Amino acid sequence: MKTVKEVSELTGVSIRTLRHYDQIGLLKPTAVSEAGYRLYDETALERLHTILLLRELAFPLKEIKEIIDSPTFDPTEALQQQIELLQRQYKHIGSLIVLATEIQSKGKAAMGFEAFDKTEIEQYRREARERWKSMEAYQEYLQKQLCKTSQEADQDAWEVIRFLKSMGELRHLPPGSAEVQRKVKELQQLFSSKFYHCTNQILSTLGEMYMDHNRFRESIDQECGDGTAIFLRDAIRLYCKQSG
């Protein structure tokens, strides 16, 4: 058994944070000594390890508690998700090094959709997950990604980009036109097949983020044509309103 101080020194988690975890029921001590000290056994330390992994995946504490306490929770799966996250971070850092080297040698770097895909997509997913408040959809996404190679994941991302380009070619039409609305439905089906069950609520959130996220909006307009981002948002709004 380890005291709260020993656990803090071992894990780098502050004593104050451990006390907070106790107060919210996320990590209860195994026992409390006669002197009032919190004591933790190996099982508690394993739970703390899982908590820290999920924090790295950007889950809020409330959702972490729900996940860990769920009878279907699989610690091995959580570890695999952490490995996947680290692999993505490693790949991302490598892309940044290449970009920085290009800037250093040429004095500037071309701003294309590839840079958007590599440097913004994870930020976008985190923001989308926070706004969806849909743990189920995020878990579905993670499950699908774990079954794919990095090449397959990249292919999926580029397929979405190509589809958005094809929608941008229709921006001369009214967002509510039949042809545009069919494309929105196909976009929803594409997200459902590649990433997660894309409900109207999630689709609506995506549409709003195409405009709300400045770099996202700029990248979409640059690659797909000026005005594409607002066109997508308006088309998705009408689709969700009519099919909701």
Side-chain angles (χ1 to χ4, degrees):
M1 301 279 277
K2 296 185 181 298
T3 66
V4 67
K5 182 179 179 181
E6 290 172 332
V7 171
S8 178
E9 293 174 346
L10 176 67
T11 64
V13 179
S14 69
I15 294 176
R16 180 178 180 181
T17 297
L18 291 171
R19 287 173 178 168
H20 178 61
Y21 287 175
D22 181 9
Q23 291 171 353
I24 64 176
L26 180 59
L27 180 67
K28 288 288 186 181
T30 307
V32 179
S33 69
E34 293 182 359
Y37 293 108
R38 295 174 174 84
L39 302 174
Y40 299 83
D41 63 6
E42 287 300 318
T43 300
L45 291 178
E46 289 177 4
R47 182 178 174 97
L48 176 58
H49 184 260
T50 301
I51 291 169
L52 297 179
L53 290 183
L54 291 174
R55 286 294 285 164
E56 285 296 319
L57 287 169
F59 278 98
L61 295 180
K62 182 179 179 181
E63 288 187 16
I64 291 177
K65 187 176 186 303
E66 293 174 356
I67 293 170
I68 296 179
D69 291 340
S70 170
T72 61
F73 175 68
D74 184 356
T76 302
E77 178 184 328
L79 181 58
Q80 180 58 48
Q81 291 170 359
Q82 172 70 0
I83 292 172
E84 174 72 12
L85 175 66
L86 291 172
Q87 289 173 337
R88 288 180 179 275
Q89 290 175 335
Y90 176 78
K91 181 179 179 181
H92 171 63
I93 291 171
S95 298
L96 291 180
I97 292 173
V98 171
L99 180 62
T101 302
E102 180 182 350
I103 294 173
Q104 184 181 49
S105 61
K106 298 181 179 179
K108 63 178 181 178
M111 176 55 191
F113 218 80
E114 182 176 1
F116 149 73
D117 181 47
K118 301 301 182 183
T119 62
E120 296 294 333
I121 194 67
E122 290 304 317
Q123 174 68 18
Y124 161 72
R125 287 168 180 160
R126 286 195 297 272
E127 292 178 5
R129 187 179 65 82
E130 286 298 317
R131 292 177 63 173
W132 295 340
K133 300 299 182 182
S134 175
M135 183 177 67
E136 181 179 351
Y138 186 68
Q139 287 299 307
E140 182 183 354
Y141 160 74
L142 287 176
Q143 284 297 318
K144 287 187 177 181
Q145 293 308 297
L146 290 176
C147 297
K148 298 175 183 177
T149 64
S150 59
Q151 183 178 6
E152 289 172 333
D154 286 344
Q155 289 174 347
D156 287 347
W158 281 110
E159 185 172 344
V160 171
I161 292 169
R162 287 192 294 269
F163 193 89
L164 293 180
K165 282 186 177 182
S166 70
M167 290 196 69
E169 294 172 357
L170 301 178
R171 65 187 185 280
H172 62 283
L173 298 175
S177 66
E179 185 175 358
V180 173
Q181 289 298 295
R182 281 196 299 270
K183 291 290 286 186
V184 174
K185 183 177 182 179
E186 291 175 10
L187 178 64
Q188 185 179 37
Q189 293 170 343
L190 177 62
F191 276 115
S192 292
S193 65
K194 296 296 184 182
F195 306 112
Y196 39 72
H197 177 54
C198 187
T199 64
N200 281 4
Q201 180 183 359
I202 292 176
L203 183 64
S204 177
T205 300
L206 291 172
E208 296 302 321
M209 288 186 67
Y210 288 148
M211 280 299 297
D212 292 346
H213 194 293
N214 290 336
R215 290 187 180 179
F216 229 78
R217 181 177 66 249
E218 292 170 1
S219 296
I220 288 175
D221 283 355
Q222 180 176 344
E223 185 68 17
C224 305
D226 290 341
T228 297
I230 191 170
F231 171 74
L232 289 173
R233 184 201 62 185
D234 292 346
I236 289 172
R237 275 183 179 178
L238 289 171
Y239 174 84
C240 293
K241 182 177 180 180
Q242 294 170 3
S243 62

